[in-house]
Amino acid sequence: MELDNVTLSRLLTSMTLVFHIIFATIGVGIPLMIAIAEGLGILKKDTHYLLMARRWARGYTITVAVGVVTGTCIGLQLSLLWPSFMRIAGQSISFPLFMETFAFFFEAIFLGIYLYTWDRFKKPIYHWLIILPVILGSTLSAFFITTVNAFMNTPQGFTLKNGSIKTVDPIAAMFNPATPSKTLHVVVTAYVASALILTSIAAIQMLRGNITEYTKKGLRLAATMGLIFAVLTGVTGDVSAKFLAKYQPEKLAAIEWHFETEKGADFILFGKLNDETHEIKYEIRIPKLLSFLSFSDFNAPVTGLNEFPKDETPPLFIHYLFDVKMTFVGLIILMTFLFVTFSIKKKDWMHHKWLLRGLALTGPLAMINIELGWMIAEIGRQPWILRGYMKVSEGATTAKGLGSMFWLFFALYVFLGVFCTVVIRKMFIHNSPEEELEYRYKK
Amino acid sequence: MNIELLGIIVLWTFLYCYIIIASIDFGAGFFAYYGKVTKNDHLINNLISRYLSPVWEITNVFFVFFFVGIIGFFPSVAYYFGTALLIPGSISLVLLAIRGSFYAFSNYGSKENKVYLFLYGATGLLIPASLCTVLTISGGGYIVEKEGVIKFLAEKLLSSIYSWSVVIIAIISVLYIGATFLTFYASKAKDEGALSLLRQYALFWTVPTILSSFLVFVGLRDNNLHFYQNIINRFWWMFLLSLICFLIASTLILLKRNYGTAFIFVMLQFFFAFFGYGAAHMPYILDPYITIYNGYTNQTSGTMLVIVFVLGLLLLIPSLLFIFKLFLFDAEYVQGKK
């Protein structure tokens, strides 16, 4: 089957992003977790936490490396795969892109310092201070790059004349309507996913029989932070829903299979859609909730899909992605909530095998959710690359050879994924926390 | 001075910084692998990884910085080069990705793995080779636009002697810059074994460096006459200064003294050559399609980019000095005592 350039460019971009997002998410969230662990260690004079920060940081370096190189890939692929888009939009987004690089630069410098100065300062607090610019850098770079994506969803701050940009206001482009909801949600979910990945690692260690003080403390810290951040995503998710209802109603309507504009719109979870008749079966229908989520008013009118031209609405399967995502959110909150409750009230139950199994799942579920969330957001703005201005089909490259480039990058990502896993496993398998504690802190 | 010119000077400076820092990085990677193969790794590899470990990520950022900057200032670059260079660009990207991650894998993960070190060392020479062809292409003649369709003449590029001479000078310069820097670093570390070996490498690469630069001059005359004449008539003095710096640096290394000063002269040597080349290239970014004037972004974005750039530097320069102070100029760290 011969695929056209538009499809191939989309496939290659999606593949790079799907792979990069795993490492980017970890890159944003883990420094915060490291800072919390090291901070606790210094505060409580507890070597367990100090070691935890050290070990997390060591694994982190490997993921950062893969994050950096795949980030470079997507950065250049923007121009290689979407040259026409970059020629037009490049003028508006160069500013946040440039800022993102600065933030990343800042992070890179201080991460290098942090990793190589564990024992160089007299007061441990000086070393701890160095992680702060790393957190700032990684969070800011997530912020800036997300504003670029937000711009593509709700472009503003420029005027077009005969297909070329005339006047530009980079600040207005950056702080477009999608910016607050998107950046908040991206940063908070990165924190959730990172905390939950660490939760999973600790839970798996305990399931394997490594029930030590170190793993117990690690699990409790990571799972508690996971729950706190997960609850915060409820807030940011609500901000996102309100944004969509106002600025991208076609995306919200596609997610919710909401066809007719009506007051008191129902919220639909699960279900099956008949593509011809738009009839929905087997769904859970919560009356008027969609109106409430959209406008904080049970009787507010919500725009339906039928209001839009057929060739300007996104595909309807994103509802299924949304269902899976919400289910996983429920599971994650349930598991971490049980654990945290037990850790306060019923300590005997907190390390029950089934609960640990559930907790072991939360990390992968959270990462799948990150991917699903991005898929919903990106597929939900089809067919636009620059909503309202440029369709995806007008932005793709005209160069030949995209098919083989797709497989080249596919091979690269498989290769990196495999080696990254092998290396991280090796790093920790022959080096238990107890041994390391012994030789580092109890000389 | 107009803002277009300021923009391209800023970007050119960044590319220059990348070339120096990346050459040290690429050269060091190759020598680390070469050291392993020739069983000299006990002499030099510790030294190399002591310097590289904290700074490898920064090298990569300089590169990202340059290309984000050039696309920001000159969006047409994305259109012409992006369309034309899909395949060579993707291959360079894959090489960069392999190199970056395998550095981390071999240094933080499994230190004894030869395959990792090979991937790291070999890609270190292939990357400059592939990246420098972009400079050749920017000289014109390899990208043509006909009726709105952009075509990259890959076969013409691959069969051009000039293009290969640029590849050769890129690889040799990487080894030369890498070796002279490591010589300085070894002398700083008072590591006699490493110093004598690295000094040999540095001296070895002086002759090819100078020979290949003459080769490029000859190739340039046949390839792009008006560019060549620009160099000869207007900027010859910069290349003369470059040659003088090269002679001073080589003499110092030969006399076994002032390795730090020698490396500064190596940097100056490349500075003059690189800026002389860049100045002669003006006003074209891609001859004859993009000049710094017709490819320039709108005034607002350009001005803001310059402002961000200056503010960013205010933040970055102290941070860079801090990291250099900790890992490059801290004698005890360099000597392995910290």
Side-chain angles (χ1 to χ4, degrees):
Chain A
M1 187 175 61
E2 198 65 29
L3 293 172
D4 61 80
N5 262 16
V6 178
T7 317
L8 280 169
S9 296
R10 285 183 65 192
L11 282 175
L12 181 46
T13 311
S14 322
M15 179 172 69
T16 303
L17 280 172
V18 164
F19 191 70
H20 175 64
I21 283 167
I22 299 172
F23 299 92
T25 304
I26 294 174
V28 174
I30 297 281
L32 181 66
M33 294 300 293
I34 295 174
I36 294 172
E38 198 190 6
L40 273 179
I42 296 171
L43 209 67
K44 294 187 170 180
K45 296 199 171 28
D46 185 331
T47 48
H48 282 120
Y49 288 115
L50 290 177
L51 183 68
M52 212 177 282
R54 229 173 151 129
R55 284 171 73 91
W56 287 350
R58 212 177 314 144
Y60 178 65
T61 52
I62 302 292
T63 61
V64 165
V66 182
V68 169
V69 297
T70 52
T72 312
C73 286
I74 190 65
L76 265 149
Q77 277 179 354
L78 267 184
S79 299
L80 292 174
L81 301 176
W82 309 98
S84 313
F85 163 72
M86 283 304 282
R87 178 155 72 165
I88 301 292
Q91 309 202 26
S92 300
I93 58 179
S94 60
F95 181 61
L97 279 177
F98 209 54
M99 303 270 277
E100 196 260 352
T101 327
F102 263 118
F104 173 47
F105 209 147
F106 193 58
E107 178 196 348
I109 290 174
F110 282 92
L111 184 64
I113 298 176
Y114 182 77
L115 292 175
Y116 286 87
T117 51
W118 286 99
D119 306 311
R120 274 180 77 173
F121 297 108
K122 282 199 186 75
K123 284 191 180 167
I125 189 83
Y126 289 153
H127 181 254
W128 182 78
L129 287 175
I130 292 171
I131 192 87
L132 299 183
V134 179
I135 298 174
L136 186 72
S138 61
T139 303
L140 277 179
S141 71
F143 170 80
F144 288 126
I145 204 66
T146 312
T147 66
V148 173
N149 181 269
F151 171 79
M152 291 160 82
N153 279 279
T154 50
Q156 69 171 31
F158 62 92
T159 51
L160 272 182
K161 207 174 172 190
N162 303 329
S164 65
I165 287 190
K166 281 294 150 209
T167 60
V168 174
D169 179 353
I171 299 287
M174 199 168 128
F175 293 98
N176 58 72
T179 296
S181 56
K182 269 195 182 276
T183 51
L184 261 178
H185 201 62
V186 163
V187 169
V188 174
T189 50
Y191 292 163
V192 182
S194 302
L196 292 177
I197 281 176
L198 297 171
T199 306
S200 289
I201 294 174
I204 291 169
Q205 285 304 319
M206 294 182 82
L207 282 168
R208 286 194 175 155
N210 298 328
I211 305 177
T212 61
E213 224 188 315
Y214 177 85
T215 45
K216 281 182 188 170
K217 281 181 181 163
L219 182 66
R220 190 163 180 191
L221 173 61
T224 312
M225 294 315 297
L227 179 64
I228 294 172
F229 293 135
V231 171
L232 274 180
T233 56
V235 180
T236 63
D238 184 57
V239 175
S240 303
K242 296 201 162 39
F243 154 76
L244 283 181
K246 195 165 171 197
Y247 292 97
Q248 273 185 309
E250 79 279 15
K251 193 191 265 185
L252 183 72
I255 294 173
E256 271 299 309
W257 288 343
H258 181 64
F259 296 100
E260 294 298 332
T261 303
E262 59 183 355
K263 288 182 178 173
D266 301 345
F267 181 80
I268 289 172
L269 198 58
F270 307 109
K272 191 179 175 307
L273 181 76
N274 182 329
D275 285 330
E276 304 288 308
T277 58
H278 289 171
E279 234 175 293
I280 306 166
K281 275 192 218 164
Y282 317 119
E283 82 278 18
I284 298 176
R285 185 180 284 269
I286 306 170
K288 300 194 178 188
L289 184 62
L290 185 60
S291 286
F292 181 73
L293 289 176
S294 303
F295 299 103
S296 306
D297 170 3
F298 285 106
N299 288 314
V302 179
T303 318
L305 264 185
N306 295 345
E307 306 285 326
F308 300 92
K310 273 264 177 293
D311 60 343
E312 287 180 14
T313 53
L316 294 170
F317 70 82
I318 55 176
H319 175 78
Y320 298 115
L321 305 182
F322 183 71
D323 289 338
V324 178
K325 188 176 140 174
M326 292 321 285
T327 314
F328 287 177
V329 169
L331 284 174
I332 286 169
I333 293 191
L334 177 72
M335 301 296 176
T336 48
F337 179 74
L338 282 179
F339 176 81
V340 172
T341 318
F342 292 159
S343 73
I344 298 165
K345 295 259 177 198
K346 266 277 182 201
K347 287 207 163 59
D348 302 349
W349 292 2
M350 65 192 268
H351 299 131
H352 189 280
K353 218 197 258 169
W354 279 103
L355 184 58
L356 287 178
R357 282 180 185 152
L359 288 171
L361 275 179
T362 55
L365 291 186
M367 200 47 89
I368 294 171
N369 263 2
I370 297 268
E371 301 282 3
L372 286 174
W374 274 111
M375 283 179 197
I376 295 168
E378 293 305 284
I379 300 169
R381 70 180 159 101
Q382 291 303 315
W384 302 107
I385 190 166
L386 204 53
R387 184 177 173 273
Y389 293 95
M390 189 180 203
K391 290 199 172 162
V392 172
S393 51
E394 299 158 336
T397 181
T398 48
K400 291 194 179 68
L402 267 174
S404 28
M405 290 306 108
F406 178 86
W407 292 112
L408 178 72
F409 279 100
F410 179 77
L412 173 73
Y413 301 143
V414 171
F415 187 69
L416 288 183
V418 169
F419 275 96
C420 177
T421 320
V422 170
V423 168
I424 293 183
R425 275 176 60 90
K426 262 198 180 159
M427 260 174 141
F428 295 103
I429 261 171
H430 301 297
N431 182 5
S432 79
E434 286 65 38
E435 287 166 28
E436 202 182 334
L437 208 58
E438 193 68 33
Y439 96 89
R440 256 192 222 292
Y441 297 104
K442 292 180 185 154
K443 280 172 199 161
Chain B
M1 185 163 49
N2 55 38
I3 198 146
E4 291 90 342
L5 202 56
L6 185 68
I8 195 77
I9 290 174
V10 160
L11 291 169
W12 204 241
T13 312
F14 251 85
L15 193 57
Y16 167 75
C17 293
Y18 176 66
I19 284 177
I20 297 293
I21 295 177
S23 295
I24 295 173
D25 185 19
F26 293 149
F30 178 77
F31 289 127
Y33 174 67
Y34 185 72
K36 188 104 186 168
V37 174
T38 54
K39 308 234 178 329
N40 281 324
D41 48 334
H42 60 285
L43 282 175
I44 52 174
N45 282 26
N46 257 339
L47 187 85
I48 290 173
S49 81
R50 267 191 104 65
Y51 164 73
L52 277 185
S53 301
V55 299
W56 68 271
E57 230 190 320
I58 297 174
T59 315
N60 198 57
V61 189
F62 268 94
F63 176 60
V64 178
F65 219 106
F66 172 73
F67 80 70
V68 169
I70 196 152
I71 288 165
F73 275 109
F74 306 101
S76 315
V77 170
Y79 181 65
Y80 281 91
F81 283 92
T83 309
L85 297 182
L86 174 71
I87 293 173
S90 299
I91 291 172
S92 306
L93 268 182
V94 169
L95 290 173
L96 269 175
I98 291 175
R99 188 186 149 79
S101 39
F102 276 84
Y103 177 73
F105 294 173
S106 85
N107 256 276
Y108 307 114
S110 44
K111 288 212 193 301
E112 296 308 313
N113 198 320
K114 250 190 201 173
V115 179
Y116 292 5
L117 205 57
F118 169 74
L119 284 171
Y120 176 62
T123 48
L125 293 187
L126 292 174
I127 292 167
S130 65
L131 290 183
C132 72
T133 53
V134 178
L135 284 182
T136 313
I137 292 167
S138 71
Y142 302 102
I143 292 180
V144 284
E145 186 180 27
K146 259 189 195 155
E147 291 153 9
V149 180
I150 290 165
K151 227 183 137 188
F152 172 49
L153 308 175
E155 278 162 29
K156 188 178 168 203
L157 183 75
L158 289 176
S159 61
S160 142
I161 295 174
Y162 169 64
S163 139
W164 285 107
S165 67
V166 174
V167 169
I168 290 167
I169 197 173
I171 295 176
I172 290 172
S173 307
V174 159
L175 294 172
Y176 174 67
I177 297 174
T180 48
F181 174 80
L182 289 172
T183 306
F184 153 66
Y185 203 62
S187 78
K188 184 117 188 141
K190 300 199 170 59
D191 184 341
E192 291 303 324
L195 177 60
S196 79
L197 186 65
L198 289 163
R199 184 175 157 270
Q200 280 172 28
Y201 292 163
L203 287 175
F204 176 82
W205 288 109
T206 49
V207 180
T209 304
I210 205 71
L211 285 181
S212 60
S213 41
F214 283 114
L215 192 66
V216 169
F217 264 100
V218 176
L220 198 58
R221 194 183 55 197
D222 301 332
N223 199 64
N224 188 335
L225 193 62
H226 80 92
F227 181 30
Y228 174 77
Q229 278 169 345
N230 228 354
I231 290 180
I232 299 296
N233 297 336
R234 291 171 58 201
F235 299 103
W236 56 272
W237 54 275
M238 291 191 84
F239 291 87
L240 184 68
L241 280 175
S242 171
L243 182 68
I244 294 170
C245 293
F246 166 75
L247 291 174
I248 297 174
S250 315
T251 314
L252 287 174
I253 295 173
L254 197 66
L255 296 175
K256 299 191 184 183
R257 51 184 290 188
N258 302 64
Y259 294 112
T261 320
F263 184 68
I264 291 176
F265 275 100
V266 169
M267 288 205 288
L268 286 174
Q269 171 199 339
F270 281 88
F271 177 85
F272 287 121
F274 191 67
F275 275 81
Y277 171 89
H281 212 293
M282 284 295 101
Y284 290 107
I285 296 180
L286 173 63
D287 199 356
Y289 300 106
I290 315 173
T291 67
I292 58 169
Y293 303 106
N294 73 15
Y296 185 65
T297 182
N298 57 79
Q299 203 66 22
T300 330
S301 297
T303 318
M304 288 198 60
L305 284 180
V306 172
I307 294 172
V308 176
F309 183 79
V310 172
L311 291 178
L313 281 188
L314 291 179
L315 185 76
L316 286 184
I317 290 173
S319 317
L320 277 173
L321 287 177
F322 185 45
I323 195 170
F324 285 155
K325 189 170 167 292
L326 283 173
F327 299 108
L328 190 56
F329 298 112
D330 185 316
E332 285 191 16
Y333 174 80
V334 181
Q335 288 167 20
K337 288 178 191 155
K338 269 186 187 169

